Amino acid sequence: MAAASGRGRFITLEGMDGAGKSTHLATIAASLRAQGRRVLVTREPGGTPLAEKLRQLVLAEPMDAVSETLLIFAARADHVARVILPALERGAWVLCDRFTDSTLAYQGGGKGVPTELIRALARQAHPGLSPDRTLLFDCPYEVSRDRLQRAGRPPDRFEGQSRAFFDGVRDAYRGLAAAEPDRIRLIDGSRPPEAVPPLLEAALAGL
Ligand code: TYD
């Protein structure tokens, strides 16, 4: 969506767990604030009291992939209406850790939920709203798995998934990036963390 000048910008961060997304989110927020932008950092599923409750359910409870998709979109609709749109209208730049591309990648590419269902839900949950720019942190499965193991983090329901699931997620993400190269910029998440900030700056240019 082309953002009008008084309106903020909607920037999303995407990628597999362990590809560096969360590490670099803080760097991006700090650099935008240093440029004088008002920045709101938020995440999905989550970002409102209701959506955070739904997040707990989605990450912890076993459920089928369609139920999961519906709960994620219930959380998203609340988050968009209560937090994201009001912030953009106030002129803030919204930095969101995951959005609908995650659902297309994880529930669609990873679990086989039909893309048409996900796109139809997206049209209802956030009509006319799509990120102005998306940074996709991409890295091979082995790199992401080793980082998560070194971090010693207990796996949540998503991180405990099989290699085939991760391959499906990664392929879907790369397909989305190929289809929308202007919006979605691929960041090589296998580089050492200190080599990444210049790539972020380039990926956010022109907003
Ligand atoms: P994230 O906040 O990145 O995980 P963490 O806090 O553990 O770093 O995302 C939580 C998990 O939710 C992640 O494994 C991906 C999953 N997820 C989906 O499957 N679909 C979605 O639409 C979203 C937003 C997240």
Side-chain angles (χ1 to χ4, degrees):
M1 183 172 78
S5 53
R7 190 184 162 89
R9 301 291 185 275
F10 184 32
I11 300 168
T12 59
L13 275 71
E14 293 284 355
M16 319 282 298
D17 300 292
K21 178 175 62 63
S22 305
T23 309
H24 297 299
L25 191 136
T27 313
I28 298 171
S31 113
L32 290 173
R33 287 190 178 114
Q35 293 165 27
R37 314 276 183 208
R38 268 179 299 152
V39 179
L40 176 87
V41 175
T42 187
R43 68 166 181 185
E44 292 224 334
T48 68
L50 171 63
E52 291 291 335
K53 284 187 192 160
L54 292 169
R55 176 189 178 93
Q56 297 301 322
L57 277 176
V58 167
L59 295 188
E61 289 285 329
M63 66 183 76
D64 68 83
V66 170
S67 305
E68 186 173 286
T69 303
L70 296 172
L71 289 178
I72 287 170
F73 270 105
R76 183 162 297 141
D78 193 58
H79 188 208
V80 167
R82 290 179 194 276
V83 173
I84 296 177
L85 286 180
L88 290 172
E89 275 152 26
R90 285 196 306 272
W93 285 43
V94 176
L95 211 51
C96 191
D97 189 344
R98 301 190 179 281
F99 197 62
T100 291
D101 295 312
S102 277
T103 321
L104 288 162
Y106 282 78
Q107 281 65 44
K111 301 192 175 175
V113 173
T115 300
E116 311 85 75
L117 172 64
I118 299 172
R119 293 207 184 271
L121 290 166
R123 282 194 296 276
Q124 297 298 319
H126 49 93
L129 177 71
S130 123
D132 296 298
R133 190 68 48 85
T134 296
L135 307 190
L136 171 55
F137 292 83
D138 179 64
C139 75
Y141 171 78
E142 291 73 18
V143 173
S144 130
R145 186 202 51 202
D146 291 352
R147 281 199 188 135
L148 291 175
Q149 276 174 358
R150 260 183 285 131
R153 214 167 64 160
D156 62 27
R157 198 161 67 75
F158 289 86
E159 291 163 3
Q161 295 276 357
S162 68
R163 170 72 197 255
F165 171 79
F166 280 99
D167 288 343
V169 173
R170 190 175 186 212
D171 285 353
Y173 264 140
R174 293 173 71 96
L176 291 167
E180 287 187 76
D182 197 41
R183 173 173 72 88
I184 305 181
R185 306 292 172 87
L186 213 61
I187 306 287
D188 180 359
S190 57
R191 294 205 187 190
E194 60 278 10
V196 173
L199 308 178
L200 304 176
E201 210 168 302
L204 291 173
L207 279 176

